[in-house]
Amino acid sequence: TRSTRPQRLLRAVQQKAIKGDPQSVISAIDYFCRHSEWAMNVGDEKGSILDSVVCEVCPTTALELGTYCGYSTVRIARLLPPGTKLITLEFNPAFAAVARQVIEYAGLQNKVCLVEGASGDLIPKMCQMFGIKTFDFVFIDHWKDRYLPDIKLLEECQLLRKGSILLADNVICPGTPEYLEYVRNSPHYESKYFKSHLEYTKVEDGLEKSVFLG
Ligand code: SAM
Ligand code: MG
């Protein structure tokens, strides 16, 4: 049977990137997606905005919703201060299997904990599973209709503290209108749009950065 896109993306990493060098893994994936096959990674252009937010926040506890092949996982994990682990959630076992290999190739397996399962089931277990009290930083990039219910779940489970930063991808394309309307109008958030383009295209898209005010 024919290979899948994530498997071909992994092969591009194994052929082009240097083991243990996260930047070369990122570049190999971006090259593959620009020249061979588009894939739903945050990509290089929005990725540099993601990098600057991660560096600014310098999180001790970090969560990612939606791992896919591990591209954004590698981007975030390579910037984390020593001792910090990124928890990333993915419910598709085939994607998770590829992501594990991409993360390992980048040499970041000790900075990442990939949990297989649905965000709605796993978010309430973060304290029990990892002893997490609150997240300093959450990157939201799973299915677009889950953004709003899952941040409400993070609030309910008291996993956000005053000053926690949410960064949401694809708020314009494919778009997350209910989520945007919520974070932009709720008195519990201060929210800002970072204009950019959909990964590997010229179509407008962007990231929404929202500070939880408590
Ligand atoms: N963040 C990745 C990156 O930039 O490299 C891309 C993630 S991709 C856009 C979205 C992923 O979220 C898919 O792999 C999908 O299987 C996963 N996903 C969607 N809904 C989910 C949920 N409720 N729980 C866990 N994973 C989910
Ligand atoms: Mg995305």
Side-chain angles (χ1 to χ4, degrees):
T1 65
R2 209 172 127 75
S3 63
T4 64
R5 180 173 307 179
Q7 288 166 343
R8 293 188 292 276
L9 181 151
L10 172 62
R11 203 179 321 129
V13 167
Q14 292 163 337
Q15 287 169 354
K16 284 232 167 72
I18 301 158
K19 255 194 163 216
D21 176 0
Q23 190 54 56
S24 74
V25 170
I26 292 165
S27 302
I29 296 175
D30 286 327
Y31 187 92
F32 173 80
C33 292
R34 279 191 186 282
H35 297 97
S36 299
E37 300 181 51
W38 184 93
M40 57 179 167
N41 321 122
V42 69
D44 43 5
E45 195 186 337
K46 286 180 291 176
S48 72
I49 302 170
L50 169 62
D51 289 358
S52 51
V53 173
V54 173
C55 289
E56 175 197 314
V57 176
C58 194
T60 313
T61 50
L63 174 68
E64 171 175 72
L65 305 179
T67 318
Y68 188 45
C69 298
Y71 174 89
S72 54
T73 313
V74 167
R75 275 204 98 105
I76 298 166
R78 84 194 204 287
L79 299 173
L80 293 177
T84 299
K85 262 200 186 184
L86 169 63
I87 298 169
T88 183
L89 311 184
E90 174 56 57
F91 67 12
N92 180 314
F95 296 167
V98 165
R100 280 185 208 288
Q101 293 174 78
V102 168
I103 294 159
E104 169 114 25
Y105 200 95
L108 290 167
Q109 63 289 142
N110 298 326
K111 308 217 76 173
V112 175
C113 188
L114 196 172
V115 189
E116 262 180 69
S119 53
D121 300 331
L122 293 171
I123 287 169
K125 295 187 183 151
M126 287 294 120
C127 180
Q128 178 199 325
M129 287 177 83
F130 300 103
I132 299 279
K133 290 217 173 68
T134 58
F135 286 108
D136 298 331
F137 176 75
V138 184
F139 182 54
I140 308 168
D141 191 22
H142 55 339
W143 294 159
K144 307 314 154 195
D145 60 351
R146 297 305 308 171
Y147 285 30
L148 183 55
D150 281 348
I151 66 150
K152 287 185 175 169
L153 188 58
L154 285 166
E155 290 174 16
E156 272 172 46
C157 297
Q158 299 186 319
L159 286 164
L160 302 181
R161 52 138 177 107
K162 205 183 286 237
S164 289
I165 303 294
L166 308 181
L167 188 66
D169 190 26
N170 306 110
V171 296
I172 302 300
C173 184
T176 58
E178 320 80 22
Y179 176 82
L180 273 191
E181 131 86 28
Y182 180 74
V183 290
R184 287 177 180 177
N185 298 305
S186 162
H188 301 292
Y189 291 93
E190 199 171 273
S191 207
K192 186 179 166 198
Y193 177 60
F194 289 78
K195 185 174 170 168
S196 184
H197 297 95
L198 178 70
E199 48 266 30
Y200 318 116
T201 75
K202 291 179 173 145
V203 176
E204 184 180 340
D205 185 25
L207 297 163
E208 186 82 6
K209 177 187 171 190
S210 309
V211 187
F212 185 67
L213 302 173

